[in-house]
Amino acid sequence: MKKFLVLVSVLLIAGLALSATEYKVENFNGKTGGTFYYWGLGDPKSFNIDWAQETSSTVPLGFIHATLLEADEGGMPTESGLAKEWWFSDDGLTFFVKIREGLKWSDGAPFTIDDVYWTFVDVSLNPEQTANGNGSYMDSNDQLPVVEIVDSTTISFTWTVPMVTALRQVGFRTIIPKHALSEAVASGTYAEQWTIADVDKLVGMGPYVMTEYVEGVRIAFERNPNYWKFDANGVQLPYLDKLNYEIISDQNTALLRFEAGELDIYGPSAEQFPRLAGMAAEKGWVTGVGGPALGSEFITFNFNTKDPVKNEWFRNEYFRKAFVYALDRQSIIDSLYNGLGSPLYGPVSPSSGFYNPEIEKYNYKYSITRARLELKKGGFDWAPDGTLVDSKGNKVEFELLTNAGNRTREAIGNIVVDGASKLGIKVNYTPIQFNTVVSRLLDATYDAVVIGLTGSVDPGTGWNVYRLDGGLHFWNYPPFYNEEDHITEDMYILPDWEKRVDEIYRLQTSAVVDQDRYDLFAEFQMLFAEYQPVVFTMAQNFLYVHKGDFHLTIPQLSPATGILYQVEGFWKD
Amino acid sequence: MLKYIVRRLILAIPVLLGVSVLAFLIISAAPGDFLDAYRMNPSITRDQLRLLERQFGLDQNVFVQYFKWLGNVLTGNFGYSFTYRVPVFNLVWRRLGATLLLSITTMIFTWGIAIPLGIYSALHQYSLSDQTFSFLAFIGISIPNFFFALLWLFMSAKTGWFPIGGLISQNFNDLSFFGKIGDYLWHVVGPMVTLGTSGLAGLMRQMRGQLLDQLRQDYVLFARAKGMPEKNVIYKHAVRNAINPIVTIFGYALSGLLGGAVLTETVFGWPGMGRLVIEALNAQDLFLVMATLLLSAVLLVIGNLLADLMLAWVDPRIRFRLG
């Protein structure tokens, strides 16, 4: 009897352990088997997630790694990943994460809370160990969290003020294996670990494991035998056994490869899309058009050039607004994007859940008349020969830069010149080398620049741009921000709305209630719409096309999901 | 002759040193540095950038940087690539196979066609076939490589005769040994023809012109007059004299073996050195650029030496002497 009881309890425990490993994704209902053919532009540079910078490296790494939380269709960290449960303490200062039990790394080693603790404390929070540093983990008092292991499955992060962005910063952080990397981290050689020559050493929690990398040809993946997600019928994911990530160095070649049936899904450029859409019915392809991309190109005017006359213009909100009206965005969208783009008038893309539609009340659109009206309001006037002069009689003329080789930015530069000439403004436009643009921007030794930054669903990730002390706050750097700076206390002017934007960016990290953050970012967008510190232009719509026998997990992809959303649930007939 | 070679190699050392100083200074004088892409990353703070500058040694004076680099090179350490975080020659080594496969087949293709055609054209001057060959060769030289490459890929996609770029097929691992070799050769045809056709015309015209020059010389007239068989006149005398400048060109061509061809490689997705170098230049990956530049300089020195040795071999009038 006693033996029987022992046996029963052993079976029970085993049964519990087994059920604990199963994470069922209810809405997945696909077929197993087959190979997923995907592609990437250019070779990866590193297989080390903390030193990889380009998408050519980070996208393939996404297949082999997992995070505590996963994104929902809006790109927000609300779905369970390696974390089973997560919650904030009542005061909002502490963020708790309870991980799933009984999971294994792709090499069979157990996944424990130690891996999570070590990933954060030894790697993420230590600026020497990652390229990006630990800035995004700091709360509004510039303090890093105190990380503690609560029990064998729970870890806590405590800040000095509430920190909602913990959801994103902690939740979307790739957890790396302590057993494979702790020695390198301790000896300070982590940056040289997991290079492109180390395919056989990579260990992860993601749906696939990397098996081969042939330079310039492909990265081959196979299913991770220890992957922890199962579908509604208890089938272990991913559905597709193999993944071939073809490395293609030219977008036109990729198009030909997709047309020849060698790729399953393809994100075409706007130029290529109409051709593919035309062939779709005949070939049985499925095409999709999502909202405008999250990143955007914009024009920034320097409030602190070395010329006080120019500073007067650029600080004048009516001057900047004249440019909002003077840019014929639609003609660029038509010529560059085949009409597959959207004009943007604020820093948050309409594809983001944070987009505030109220900014549309300003009714910005292309109108030279209204641009002239704004200039009048700003105290500008026109000389008899039609050139624009400011209230002191100076002719308005400035230099516009962008990086050569970027077709979109070069085209935007051209419409700026065109729009400005209709307002009697002479713009000396020169596309120059990228590195020169960067150093001119960061030294605040430019007049105006057309540039773009990567975007994200959550405007909070733009803190380094919008905070006054942010490294990319290039339109109005505070005095003596850079060494040998020409910006002095006397010339620096800080408008109230800039102060408020800075405040919003400090408050949003500690807003405990989601609604508060929405409200703060709504206000932020209204301020930008009203004062237009930088003039946003437009974004290309998100485009994709896939084969008919290839199935995604959701009916419609968007910029927030990206193409590879829930790759473990992709399947083929 | 051995003494000559050794002396030439010793003389190469100051040349290489000079190349390295100039290259290092020019790269450093270019605006910006490797970290510029990091500077535009919204999630990297200024403190972090200073830390990275220190880690990469970019916060130091360019001369300090150069002598540190030189010191390391003398101990055989050519440095780590900033981008890849691996020793630079590991990267070069990984690309060597594909680069040599393409450059050597291209060389065989170009020289194998250009020299015989040049000779043929010279012997049949102004004939229809001479005009046709010249015409075709000039079409080859006039079509830009990237465009020819795109046309080739389009043709491949439509007909299926050739692969749409790349180095190997998707099923490469399942092929037999000879199947693999065949697969490589099948893939190299496109980039080889693209690169080969653009070099064909120059070489062919050079050969033709040189040979025509020689055929007008008195010694050819004399040889013919004394009744020497035409074959001997042409191949033993005229061609041998005409080949002299071609050998010099060959020496230079050797130095280009590892250079790669950026545009053609990019369109065909060929993992060669050209793309590695251009990406390193764009990213200002200092040590990787330096390593590849030095490698080209070494090859140029060796190529020149080989050309001189071959000249002496084809032309008995040339003696080894250092001025």
Side-chain angles (χ1 to χ4, degrees):
Chain A
M1 188 62 196
K2 208 175 174 185
K3 267 188 184 168
F4 177 66
L5 273 180
V6 171
L7 189 68
V8 166
S9 52
V10 165
L11 281 177
L12 266 176
I13 290 167
L16 276 177
L18 197 68
S19 67
T21 61
E22 287 197 14
Y23 167 38
K24 286 197 174 176
V25 188
E26 295 299 339
N27 57 342
F28 285 7
N29 212 337
K31 278 189 198 151
T32 53
T35 303
F36 174 29
Y37 292 99
Y38 190 58
W39 76 288
L41 197 64
D43 276 282
K45 310 285 183 273
S46 168
F47 291 142
N48 182 327
I49 192 77
D50 287 305
W51 290 92
Q53 287 283 307
E54 301 85 359
T55 49
S56 59
S57 313
T58 54
V59 170
L61 286 176
F63 299 124
I64 67 165
H65 285 306
T67 52
L68 292 170
L69 300 181
E70 289 178 5
D72 57 22
E73 285 181 47
M76 301 304 286
T78 61
E79 301 278 324
S80 166
L82 293 169
K84 195 175 183 184
E85 292 159 36
W86 60 97
W87 65 95
F88 279 98
S89 64
D90 291 339
D91 57 8
L93 297 179
T94 309
F95 179 56
F96 293 93
V97 177
K98 186 177 173 60
I99 59 164
R100 293 177 187 284
E101 286 176 72
L103 308 190
K104 283 182 187 159
W105 290 97
S106 56
D107 63 352
F111 169 76
T112 68
I113 198 75
D114 275 341
D115 289 311
V116 183
Y117 179 85
W118 174 82
T119 297
F120 283 100
V121 175
D122 289 55
V123 182
S124 269
L125 299 179
N126 182 347
E128 307 259 350
Q129 301 288 5
T130 65
N132 286 4
N134 56 15
S136 49
Y137 292 95
M138 287 178 185
D139 61 21
S140 46
N141 291 339
D142 290 339
Q143 295 298 310
L144 290 172
V146 177
V147 187
E148 278 168 312
I149 295 181
V150 181
D151 61 42
S152 66
T153 56
T154 315
I155 189 168
S156 71
F157 302 79
T158 309
W159 280 271
T160 59
V161 284
M163 170 94 173
V164 234
T165 48
L167 268 181
R168 179 170 290 273
Q169 296 311 334
V170 172
F172 285 166
R173 160 74 217 190
T174 296
I175 306 299
I176 50 176
K178 183 182 179 186
H179 66 277
L181 290 167
S182 63
E183 257 176 57
V185 168
S187 64
T189 57
Y190 177 48
E192 285 89 44
Q193 295 297 314
W194 287 13
T195 65
I196 51 165
D198 296 328
V199 172
D200 48 334
K201 295 186 192 155
L202 309 184
V203 176
M205 291 298 290
Y208 290 95
V209 286
M210 202 183 283
T211 53
E212 187 191 31
Y213 164 48
V214 188
E215 205 108 343
V217 178
R218 78 174 60 94
I219 311 175
F221 298 83
E222 271 170 31
R223 56 181 304 133
N224 173 1
N226 297 322
Y227 193 55
W228 39 278
K229 278 192 196 174
F230 294 79
D231 77 356
N233 308 318
V235 176
Q236 191 187 25
L237 298 171
Y239 290 122
L240 295 162
D241 290 333
K242 290 187 175 181
L243 193 168
N244 250 12
Y245 181 90
E246 302 285 319
I247 294 161
I248 304 174
S249 47
D250 183 84
Q251 184 109 24
N252 294 313
T253 317
L255 176 73
L256 289 174
R257 298 271 301 258
F258 177 78
E259 285 181 15
E262 293 179 21
L263 303 170
D264 288 321
I265 185 164
Y266 178 65
S269 69
E271 261 178 306
Q272 298 172 341
F273 189 77
R275 170 185 157 91
L276 288 173
M279 294 161 76
E282 179 199 336
K283 299 256 192 180
W285 294 334
V286 179
T287 58
V289 181
L294 295 167
S296 157
E297 314 293 327
F298 54 82
I299 303 145
T300 170
F301 296 100
N302 185 5
F303 293 8
N304 302 300
T305 66
K306 288 180 177 168
D307 180 355
V309 175
K310 283 179 181 165
N311 295 347
E312 287 282 316
W313 310 334
F314 297 151
R315 284 172 185 164
N316 188 330
E317 65 182 83
Y318 301 103
F319 179 83
R320 298 192 301 270
K321 269 195 244 180
F323 276 89
V324 179
Y325 287 114
L327 301 187
D328 188 358
R329 293 171 173 80
Q330 196 58 44
S331 79
I332 279 232
I333 290 170
D334 290 342
S335 65
L336 207 61
Y337 293 157
N338 269 325
L340 296 161
S342 314
L344 288 186
Y345 298 101
V348 178
S349 160
S351 299
S352 159
F354 284 98
Y355 177 68
N356 180 7
E358 250 186 274
I359 66 164
E360 287 158 21
K361 80 167 189 196
Y362 286 98
N363 199 15
Y364 287 120
K365 58 176 188 225
Y366 175 56
S367 161
I368 293 296
T369 325
R370 288 177 69 173
R372 286 178 161 260
L373 220 62
E374 293 291 336
L375 287 172
K376 268 251 158 69
K377 272 196 251 174
F380 291 87
D381 210 340
W382 284 270
D385 65 349
T387 52
L388 187 74
V389 289
D390 66 11
S391 52
K392 295 179 189 99
N394 301 301
K395 280 189 182 172
V396 180
E397 175 177 352
F398 64 89
E399 187 189 34
L400 178 71
L401 303 175
T402 195
N403 58 311
N406 184 317
R407 280 188 59 210
T408 311
R409 288 181 198 159
E410 287 178 1
I412 292 171
N414 285 325
I415 56 159
V416 174
V417 175
D418 180 56
S421 72
K422 288 179 182 145
L423 300 176
I425 301 171
K426 189 171 176 213
V427 176
N428 303 310
Y429 168 52
T430 32
I432 54 175
Q433 200 218 356
F434 175 73
N435 303 71
T436 318
V437 178
V438 174
S439 52
R440 298 276 296 269
L441 265 177
L442 300 185
D443 295 342
T445 50
Y446 67 97
D447 292 348
V449 166
V450 182
I451 197 84
L453 292 172
T454 52
S456 125
V457 174
D458 188 338
T461 52
W463 55 273
N464 204 10
V465 182
Y466 299 112
R467 265 169 65 162
L468 290 177
D469 60 351
L472 296 177
H473 196 81
F474 26 62
W475 59 91
N476 198 8
Y477 279 122
F480 305 112
Y481 191 66
N482 298 302
E483 292 150 36
E484 306 160 29
D485 210 336
H486 65 273
I487 305 171
T488 58
E489 298 282 357
D490 304 340
M491 67 185 280
Y492 183 60
I493 288 177
L494 184 59
D496 285 338
W497 55 267
E498 275 255 82
K499 273 189 223 159
R500 179 60 187 159
V501 168
D502 184 67
E503 203 172 39
I504 287 173
Y505 262 86
R506 285 170 194 279
L507 287 174
Q508 59 91 12
T509 61
S510 46
V512 186
V513 190
D514 273 350
Q515 190 56 44
D516 291 350
R517 287 190 82 222
Y518 279 99
D519 293 345
L520 283 169
F521 283 129
E523 187 191 344
F524 157 70
Q525 290 173 67
M526 290 307 279
L527 286 172
F528 256 67
E530 187 170 350
Y531 296 102
Q532 298 283 341
V534 296
V535 176
F536 284 88
T537 57
M538 74 260 168
Q540 190 199 301
N541 288 335
F542 183 78
L543 305 168
Y544 63 95
V545 51
H546 63 81
K547 286 190 190 171
D549 62 353
F550 176 81
H551 302 277
L552 307 168
T553 62
I554 49 172
Q556 171 77 45
L557 297 174
S558 73
T561 61
I563 281 192
L564 295 168
Y565 185 63
Q566 293 178 330
V567 66
E568 67 275 12
F570 290 178
W571 59 282
K572 285 183 177 179
D573 284 330
Chain B
M1 185 167 116
L2 194 70
K3 204 170 150 195
Y4 171 81
I5 295 175
V6 170
R7 283 181 68 186
R8 280 282 296 260
L9 288 180
I10 290 173
L11 278 179
I13 293 174
V15 172
L16 293 178
L17 263 181
V19 168
S20 75
V21 175
L22 273 180
F24 207 99
L25 287 182
I26 291 172
I27 299 168
S28 304
D33 62 34
F34 171 72
L35 289 174
D36 281 342
Y38 289 66
R39 290 193 176 93
M40 290 308 282
N41 181 338
S43 53
I44 297 184
T45 61
R46 292 158 55 86
D47 290 341
Q48 184 65 20
L49 281 167
R50 276 188 214 108
L51 195 139
L52 289 171
E53 270 172 16
R54 220 171 40 243
Q55 276 191 359
F56 288 112
L58 291 171
D59 52 343
Q60 283 159 328
N61 179 299
V62 49
F63 294 101
V64 178
Q65 286 186 44
Y66 176 74
F67 283 108
K68 271 195 171 169
W69 174 82
L70 191 64
N72 283 332
V73 166
L74 292 179
T75 63
N77 171 10
F78 281 80
Y80 272 61
S81 154
F82 291 157
T83 323
Y84 294 83
R85 295 293 194 134
V86 292
V88 285
F89 273 107
N90 288 15
L91 291 171
V92 173
W93 182 248
R94 290 175 75 99
R95 303 262 174 154
L96 202 63
T99 310
L100 284 178
L101 174 62
L102 178 56
S103 54
I104 290 175
T105 48
T106 305
M107 212 160 170
I108 293 172
F109 176 81
T110 321
W111 290 73
I113 293 181
I115 300 295
L117 279 191
I119 293 173
Y120 179 89
S121 292
L123 298 180
H124 302 80
Q125 198 186 4
Y126 304 137
S127 71
L128 183 66
S129 45
D130 175 27
Q131 306 281 14
T132 316
F133 288 140
S134 296
F135 178 72
L136 288 178
F138 277 102
I139 287 184
I141 210 173
S142 352
I143 300 182
N145 278 351
F146 79 94
F147 186 64
F148 191 98
L150 279 175
L151 286 179
W152 181 278
L153 287 185
F154 192 71
M155 181 273 285
S156 306
K158 287 289 159 208
T159 62
W161 294 342
F162 291 99
I164 310 169
L167 175 67
I168 49 178
S169 301
Q170 286 183 340
N171 63 346
F172 181 78
N173 287 343
D174 307 330
L175 296 174
S176 66
F177 176 73
F178 291 105
K180 284 180 180 173
I181 293 180
D183 195 49
Y184 276 128
L185 292 179
W186 189 48
H187 279 79
V188 85
V189 173
M192 177 187 85
V193 171
T194 306
L195 288 175
T197 47
S198 70
L200 210 58
L203 206 56
M204 195 182 115
R205 300 292 295 182
Q206 190 101 18
M207 186 68 227
R208 178 177 177 275
Q210 289 295 334
L211 188 55
L212 282 176
D213 265 0
Q214 294 299 329
L215 288 175
R216 287 192 203 104
Q217 300 285 327
D218 289 344
Y219 73 86
V220 173
L221 195 66
F222 173 73
R224 282 184 177 148
K226 77 168 185 175
M228 188 188 268
E230 185 66 9
K231 227 180 196 172
N232 282 3
V233 174
I234 290 165
Y235 292 103
K236 273 211 164 142
H237 296 280
V239 171
R240 188 141 182 207
N241 279 307
I243 208 100
N244 194 323
I246 307 287
V247 169
T248 314
I249 298 177
F250 186 74
Y252 279 107
L254 280 183
S255 69
L257 276 184
L258 285 180
V262 184
L263 293 178
T264 310
E265 282 177 13
T266 305
V267 178
F268 277 104
W270 191 263
M273 207 78 85
R275 267 161 69 200
L276 183 74
V277 175
I278 201 79
E279 280 174 20
L281 274 173
N282 277 335
Q284 304 209 3
D285 192 342
L286 185 62
F287 300 144
L288 185 51
V289 175
M290 285 303 296
T292 48
L293 280 178
L294 270 192
L295 192 67
S296 316
V298 167
L299 282 174
L300 189 66
V301 168
I302 293 176
N304 263 340
L305 179 58
L306 283 180
D308 286 350
L309 294 178
M310 279 190 296
L311 270 186
W313 176 60
V314 296
D315 190 344
R317 285 170 303 182
I318 294 175
R319 292 280 167 271
F320 296 120
R321 211 178 310 131
L322 284 171

